[in-house]
Amino acid sequence: LEQPFLKALPVLFALMKQGYEAYFVGGSVRDHIMGRTIGDIDIATSARPEQVQALFEKVIPIGIEHGTVVVQYKGDSYEVTTYRVDGDYNDFRHPDEVTYVATIEEDLSRRDFTMNAMAMDFNGEIIDPYNGQDAIHNSIIETVGEAPVRFQEDPLRMMRALRFSSQLGFTISEMTLNAIIESAYLLEKIAVERIAIEFDKLVKGENIHSSFALLIESTLVYYLPVFKNIPSLTKVINKLPFQPLKGIEEAIAIFVLSKPEVVVSTFTTEWKCSNKVKKEAEQLVNIYMKRHFKPFKWIVYQLGEDHLDSYQRLLSIIDNEDVSLEVLKENFQDLPIHSKRELALSGNDLKSWFPNCKPGPWLKTYMNQIEEDVVLGNVQNDKEAIEMWVKKWKQHEES
Ligand code: ATP
Ligand code: MG
């Protein structure tokens, strides 16, 4: 066993010591078999949530109504879920009820794809009733059980199939893909926040380009918010040479910049994105649209170090323009200042230089102009130099 599992072993052993069964399950077992970096470790157990709660010091009961508690142990969190199968999914959100079951095999049967339906014991022994290992060796995504039934139960699984294909580079099996085409319309029943989480993971994946093609081939794209009302937007994602993105905010910026009739808020409202995503997308769009009208240095400054890579991808994907990230970084490093905070004057300095002028909007206008002039190297970032420079303008303005 490798490190993240070793670290979690005491949690498994604590359960086993009380006579319960406990296994590692889901994504971590898949990633272990694939030799990928292990993400979150999930545990399945025969113990009931209250029994798990009683066993550990730090337990957060999020999801307890679905049989899940989060155990915190030595700085890591583990989702510990009681063996269960789902009831009906009449509201397409959560199963109506959760039924606890006796065996790990039954628990594995409710899981979405065969590659995700494996368990591993403390020894590294794999329990694999649905041949998930074969699916992994053949790079195939296939549902556990009948695909149409599984998508009817929870249509989000269709989006999950596509995001896994983006992350792992796997092919969706013919039967599973056909079932997605048949059931795609059910996606409209799913809470948009859940779709957005999968979409965000999809655009970060290595194989985003082929997964976007799959969004169209599977017809899922026609049931996604915004896309369903603007079919021509689909042409955008069909044409652009996508590469792994930072996240949904970058994807939104690309859609908006490629399609003048949509704005960021159309997306962020319909997809119920966080304010952070909205702000980031808007910032990228605004700066990108200015790039032909403002000096390159100003663009680089406005982006800030954290957005240089996004800008590089936008240029490459939207305008087929390849600029190296190194060059962008060098240009940023060479700027006289890297943020407003580094400016050698404050608003109060500015006021004190013109004691006869009432404070007003002119202060902000002046500060902005000074900032730009310092960034562009028109004036040194030095208080006296700036004072002379500003006083010269002001005279000019008044004469
Ligand atoms: P990642 O590495 O991206 O976290 P993951 O496989 O761990 O991938 P999660 O969304 O964290 O994916 O879910 C954990 C496990 O729970 C899955 O591996 C799968 O077994 C099961 N699962 C999650 N969502 C569903 C679903 N909608 N239907 C059935 N099983 C699911
Ligand atoms: Mg996970």
Side-chain angles (χ1 to χ4, degrees):
L1 284 187
E2 64 230 79
Q3 198 29 249
F5 291 113
L6 291 179
K7 211 177 160 200
L9 264 186
V11 178
L12 231 57
F13 284 142
L15 287 157
M16 291 164 66
K17 225 172 114 187
Q18 299 299 313
Y20 305 120
E21 295 176 8
Y23 294 94
F24 301 119
V25 281
S28 63
V29 179
R30 177 198 67 227
D31 291 341
H32 163 73
I33 287 170
M34 291 183 68
R36 295 176 95 231
T37 313
I38 311 294
D40 294 338
I41 290 191
D42 298 332
I43 294 172
T45 181
S46 59
R48 294 298 163 92
E50 317 78 59
Q51 295 170 321
V52 180
Q53 262 182 312
L55 258 181
F56 298 94
E57 241 165 66
K58 286 193 203 154
V59 182
I60 311 167
I62 353 177
I64 193 156
E65 70 280 13
H66 304 115
T68 302
V69 298
V70 175
V71 171
Q72 294 187 319
Y73 177 77
K74 295 216 166 145
D76 280 304
S77 295
Y78 304 100
E79 276 192 14
V80 180
T81 306
T82 306
Y83 295 165
R84 65 170 173 90
V85 291
D86 303 325
D88 290 339
Y89 285 82
N90 284 333
D91 62 354
F92 290 106
R93 277 161 201 274
H94 290 297
D96 293 342
E97 63 198 29
V98 165
T99 310
Y100 294 129
V101 293
T103 64
I104 181 71
E105 284 80 7
E106 285 172 276
D107 179 87
L108 295 175
S109 74
R110 73 167 163 95
R111 294 175 183 272
D112 48 4
F113 304 111
T114 59
M115 62 182 184
N116 291 341
M118 295 180 286
M120 183 168 76
D121 75 3
F122 66 97
N123 246 333
E125 260 345 289
I126 306 288
I127 298 178
D128 183 11
Y130 303 102
N131 302 318
Q133 290 171 101
D134 287 347
I136 289 174
H137 291 133
N138 298 319
S139 305
I140 295 283
I141 298 170
E142 56 187 5
T143 54
V144 173
E146 300 275 334
V149 177
R150 303 312 309 282
F151 294 141
Q152 173 77 40
E153 277 172 4
D154 181 3
L156 184 71
R157 291 174 185 149
M158 300 186 284
M159 276 305 283
R160 287 174 60 83
L162 268 68
R163 78 106 152 149
F164 283 121
S165 89
S166 179
Q167 286 178 322
L168 309 173
F170 283 15
T171 309
I172 300 177
S173 83
E174 201 183 322
M175 279 218 283
T176 298
L177 185 57
N178 284 336
I180 295 179
I181 296 171
E182 239 171 72
S183 317
Y185 70 99
L186 291 172
L187 197 65
E188 288 187 284
K189 310 272 186 199
I190 295 295
V192 59
E193 296 92 328
R194 294 179 74 204
I195 299 178
I197 291 172
E198 300 300 331
F199 190 79
D200 180 63
K201 291 184 176 177
L202 186 155
V203 302
K204 288 172 176 158
E206 263 325 294
N207 303 282
I208 171 179
H209 190 75
S210 38
S211 293
F212 270 175
L214 267 178
L215 269 177
I216 296 170
E217 191 190 341
S218 67
T219 73
L220 278 175
V221 72
Y222 303 109
Y223 302 96
L224 291 176
V226 187
F227 286 94
K228 66 181 169 201
N229 300 325
I230 311 179
S232 56
L233 195 58
T234 313
K235 297 210 182 80
V236 169
I237 75 169
N238 210 1
K239 276 209 306 256
L240 294 178
F242 279 98
Q243 45 178 296
L245 307 179
K246 195 183 269 174
I248 194 169
E249 66 278 17
E250 227 174 87
I252 292 173
I254 292 171
F255 301 147
V256 169
L257 286 163
S258 320
K259 203 77 198 136
E261 54 272 50
V262 278
V263 293
V264 167
S265 62
T266 315
F267 270 97
T268 52
T269 307
E270 288 196 35
W271 285 75
K272 300 195 182 159
C273 298
S274 67
N275 273 331
K276 181 163 181 268
V277 164
K278 182 177 181 198
K279 253 180 69 184
E280 297 254 319
E282 259 160 7
Q283 196 195 350
L284 277 175
V285 168
N286 290 338
I287 299 173
Y288 199 82
M289 292 207 302
K290 276 191 215 139
R291 78 193 187 289
H292 294 311
F293 311 107
K294 283 287 190 182
F296 181 61
K297 280 185 180 175
W298 183 246
I299 296 292
V300 170
Y301 173 79
Q302 291 260 287
L303 284 164
E305 194 158 29
D306 290 346
H307 295 106
L308 297 175
D309 57 337
S310 295
Y311 185 69
Q312 183 218 18
R313 281 188 290 274
L314 261 50
L315 280 172
S316 162
I317 294 171
I318 302 171
D319 285 297
N320 211 350
E321 231 176 273
D322 285 311
V323 182
S324 95
L325 184 56
E326 285 317 303
V327 169
L328 289 176
K329 280 187 177 162
E330 275 164 29
N331 275 277
F332 182 80
Q333 289 311 330
D334 291 347
L335 293 173
I337 60 170
H338 303 94
S339 80
K340 237 192 186 90
R341 283 188 316 258
E342 289 175 32
L343 263 185
L345 87 160
S346 68
N348 281 335
D349 293 325
L350 197 53
K351 267 190 257 174
S352 71
W353 296 337
F354 303 102
N356 300 327
C357 296
K358 268 200 234 134
W362 69 272
L363 274 169
K364 197 166 161 58
T365 313
Y366 271 53
M367 279 305 267
N368 289 345
Q369 190 57 50
I370 292 164
E371 188 184 7
E372 191 168 331
D373 280 330
V374 168
V375 169
L376 300 183
N378 296 338
V379 59
Q380 262 197 12
N381 188 29
D382 169 276
K383 205 185 276 194
E384 277 168 33
I386 295 173
E387 182 175 358
M388 283 190 3
W389 173 260
V390 183
K391 283 187 171 159
K392 228 188 315 178
W393 282 352
K394 188 93 174 151
Q395 256 172 15
H396 212 79
E397 252 182 30
E398 279 156 7
S399 66

